[in-house]
């Protein structure tokens, strides 16, 4: 344990966050996301949900200030009637942690998968909400 590091951040995840450079991306996947089959580096956060992981990461991780939308969400597949109230939770966490609002870029499901495969790492959670997957683009600390 260390001062100032949320206890949900494992040593493995802390190492990955430290290794990442400006512009690198990390995915936080919900329980349905195919994390293991898509990850270059996989971090398991079983038993945790996406909002608590997002909140912990944003205590340590700057979002890219040089792009308009440093957070990417997977669009609801056309015809799918899934509700996405968790997106409002994400927006609240991001606003509270970074002071930024309207940070979301929305991309189609298979485009999201393609981009996630190129991400530095994927975090697998036990989140049960649908479409609760995010890609975060790392910024710089001045």
């Amino acid at each position: 344990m260390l001062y100032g590091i949320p206890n949900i951040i494992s040593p493995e995840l802390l190492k990955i966050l430290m290794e990442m450079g400006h512009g690198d991306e990390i995915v936080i996947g919900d329980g349905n996301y195919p994390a293991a089959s898509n990850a270059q580096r996989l971090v398991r956060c079983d038993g945790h949900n996406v909002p608590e992981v997002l909140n912990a990461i944003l205590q340590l991780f700057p979002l890219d200030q040089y792009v308009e939308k440093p957070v990417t969400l997977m669009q609801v597949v056309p015809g799918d009637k899934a509700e996405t109230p968790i997106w409002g939770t994400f927006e609240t966490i991001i606003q509270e942690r970074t002071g930024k609002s309207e940070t979301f870029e929305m991309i189609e499901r298979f485009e999201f998968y393609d981009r996630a495969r190129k991400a530095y790492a994927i975090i697998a959670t036990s989140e049960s909400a649908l479409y609760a997957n995010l890609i975060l683009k790392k910024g710089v600390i001045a």
Side-chain angles (χ1 to χ4, degrees):
M1 300 292 289
L2 296 171
Y3 292 121
I5 308 291
N7 63 6
I8 193 174
I9 302 288
S10 67
E12 178 186 19
L13 180 54
L14 184 60
K15 177 182 182 293
I16 284 170
L17 295 173
M18 290 287 296
E19 288 173 343
M20 292 175 66
H22 180 221
D24 281 342
E25 294 183 324
I26 191 164
V27 177
I28 307 174
D30 63 31
N32 288 303
Y33 190 78
S37 63
N38 285 290
Q40 294 183 49
R41 294 165 193 84
L42 178 64
V43 179
R44 303 235 32 121
C45 275
D46 299 302
H48 297 287
N49 61 38
V50 172
E52 67 181 320
V53 173
L54 175 64
N55 185 53
I57 287 173
L58 290 181
Q59 292 177 53
L60 307 171
F61 185 98
L63 292 177
D64 195 337
Q65 59 270 54
Y66 300 116
V67 297
E68 186 178 340
K69 309 272 186 192
V71 180
T72 303
L73 297 175
M74 180 189 297
Q75 290 175 339
V76 175
V77 173
D80 191 341
K81 298 193 183 334
E83 300 288 325
T84 57
I86 198 163
W87 293 355
T89 303
F90 296 163
E91 186 67 36
T92 299
I93 292 167
I94 292 165
Q95 175 73 38
E96 288 173 356
R97 288 285 170 207
T98 70
K100 300 174 192 271
S101 59
E102 300 182 24
T103 59
F104 296 146
E105 170 188 20
M106 306 294 291
I107 60 175
E108 184 272 335
R109 175 182 167 210
F110 292 107
E111 185 180 347
F112 188 99
Y113 289 158
D114 288 343
R115 188 158 155 195
R117 281 186 200 97
K118 298 173 191 162
Y120 192 82
I122 296 177
I123 302 166
T125 72
S126 296
E127 179 61 58
S128 62
L130 300 177
Y131 295 98
N133 307 297
L134 302 117
I135 301 174
L136 306 176
K137 183 179 288 288
K138 189 174 185 185
V140 297
I141 297 175

